[in-house]
Amino acid sequence: MNLRRPPRSPQSRVDQGGVRLDLLDAVFDSYLEWRDESRAVAESYRCWQTSARADREDAFARYVAALDREEHAARDYGNSVEQARG
């Protein structure tokens, strides 16, 4: 599942406490991306573990690729949190 919010209007970029809402949106979006990739890792691991012997090599390659995507998404999520902290 890939959830995205509609863009905010320019006048809603800062809330009453001075928080930049575009940064919070970026953090939330990157969290959702990481969560999706994390689920994909779990699914590809399950597929690898239950695959037939003839399919294990391909299933393992898909699992490793999912791990790489999840690692990239986790890094992006961490970067967006750091950017939001300012």
Side-chain angles (χ1 to χ4, degrees):
M1 179 180 345
N2 191 358
L3 302 175
R4 295 282 183 230
R5 291 187 224 218
R8 293 185 183 274
S9 64
Q11 62 268 32
S12 66
R13 294 181 68 82
V14 178
D15 76 355
Q16 293 178 0
V19 175
R20 288 189 49 199
L21 298 177
D22 58 329
L23 291 177
L24 292 178
D25 284 346
V27 169
F28 187 68
D29 289 344
S30 62
Y31 165 75
L32 292 176
E33 183 68 26
W34 168 79
R35 189 183 66 181
D36 288 344
E37 295 300 344
S38 180
R39 287 181 179 159
V41 166
E43 176 63 18
S44 63
Y45 180 81
R46 186 191 63 74
C47 289
W48 172 43
Q49 291 299 306
T50 60
S51 65
R53 182 177 296 273
D55 299 328
R56 283 196 187 136
E57 189 173 334
D58 288 338
F60 180 72
R62 287 190 298 275
Y63 170 63
V64 170
L67 281 173
D68 289 343
R69 289 190 307 273
E70 190 270 343
E71 180 182 16
H72 184 266
R75 194 175 308 117
D76 286 348
Y77 178 39
N79 289 340
S80 66
V81 168
E82 287 303 315
Q83 185 179 11
R85 285 184 181 162

